[in-house]
Amino acid sequence: MMEFNEKLQELRKHKGLTQEDLAEKLYVSRTAVSKWEAGRGYPNIESLKAIAKFFSVTIDELLSTDEMLTIAEEDNKRQEKHFRDLIYGLLDFCMAILLFLPFFGEKSGESIQSVSLIMLDGIQPYLKIVYLVFVGLMTVMGILTLALQNYQSNAWLKIKTPFSLIIGASTVLVFMISLQPYAAVFAFVLLVIKVLMLIKRQ
């Protein structure tokens, strides 16, 4: 019995198409078609439906039971990853709240008042710059994570989670050392949620 990759090759050649031709018809990359035909992975559910429709066959004709289970598992993993990236991105982007809400303590005569990071002036200028850099890094990381959810570069996939966690932990540490408890607690809560999600994934 032929495997999916062999069936796909046979169907493509029967229509006289190159891998590039098929990729254009399915709106995927040639690399994706090459990977499928080499048996190094399976298309997602949507691509599978497009393949079946294009070649006028059923999904059952394309896949064995084991292959269908494998694809279902891979699709579940993709959805979990998509959800995790969405949450990570939103959590990192939430750091921008510190720019506008009064999480920072500032001495005003004998009392201490709460101000936003933008309005924070009663500290050393270099310290405010450090705060802005860390909050900016977290916010940009959140935007990138949300914007690049479908980007499959190995380098990006390897660094995004560790970088988010390292910057998050460093931000908590900076706020704690500089005696900004409210900002530190806020950043710590975001960090804990990300760590718990990472532990759950293991």
Side-chain angles (χ1 to χ4, degrees):
M1 186 176 179
M2 285 197 297
E3 300 289 327
F4 167 75
N5 62 310
E6 297 169 323
K7 291 176 187 174
L8 183 61
Q9 281 186 60
E10 187 177 83
L11 288 167
R12 174 179 62 77
K13 289 175 180 175
H14 184 70
K15 277 205 175 232
L17 300 172
T18 64
Q19 288 185 344
E20 194 165 343
D21 293 334
L22 181 58
E24 286 178 11
K25 301 286 185 185
L26 299 175
Y27 302 103
V28 297
S29 67
R30 192 201 67 79
T31 307
V33 174
S34 174
K35 185 176 77 171
W36 300 338
E37 290 194 357
R40 289 185 286 108
Y42 294 96
N44 60 29
I45 298 297
E46 292 308 311
S47 293
L48 199 57
K49 287 178 182 175
I51 292 167
K53 184 177 179 182
F54 179 73
F55 289 114
S56 300
V57 295
T58 64
I59 291 177
D60 286 342
E61 289 176 288
L62 285 174
L63 300 168
S64 66
T65 304
D66 287 343
E67 287 173 329
M68 287 181 80
L69 288 172
T70 300
I71 288 178
E73 286 173 7
E74 288 182 358
D75 207 53
N76 282 335
K77 286 178 183 176
R78 275 193 210 100
Q79 288 179 15
E80 284 176 12
K81 176 185 168 298
H82 180 80
F83 178 73
R84 188 175 63 252
D85 283 352
L86 180 65
I87 299 300
Y88 264 58
L90 289 172
L91 289 172
D92 285 344
F93 185 71
C94 277
M95 286 297 289
I97 289 172
L98 296 179
L99 295 170
F100 309 105
L101 295 184
F103 278 90
F104 294 86
E106 180 178 68
K107 276 192 176 182
S108 178
E110 295 299 317
S111 63
I112 295 178
Q113 63 178 2
S114 294
V115 296
S116 67
L117 181 51
I118 288 176
M119 301 300 293
L120 184 62
D121 293 319
I123 60 171
Q124 294 291 332
Y126 80 87
L127 194 53
K128 183 172 181 177
I129 290 170
V130 170
Y131 292 165
L132 286 169
V133 167
F134 277 99
V135 170
L137 279 172
M138 291 296 293
T139 304
V140 169
M141 190 65 197
I143 293 169
L144 287 174
T145 302
L146 291 171
L148 301 176
Q149 286 190 59
N150 296 319
Y151 187 54
Q152 296 300 311
S153 163
N154 285 334
W156 169 246
L157 293 174
K158 283 180 181 177
I159 69 164
K160 64 179 178 178
T161 299
F163 188 76
S164 173
L165 292 171
I166 289 167
I167 295 298
S170 301
T171 303
V172 172
L173 193 59
V174 165
F175 288 153
M176 287 176 65
I177 291 172
S178 58
L179 304 178
Q180 294 290 350
Y182 297 129
V185 167
F186 178 75
F188 181 71
V189 169
L190 299 184
L191 179 64
V192 167
I193 294 170
K194 288 190 288 186
V195 170
L196 288 174
M197 287 183 68
L198 189 66
I199 291 170
K200 187 178 177 182
R201 185 183 70 177
Q202 304 302 326

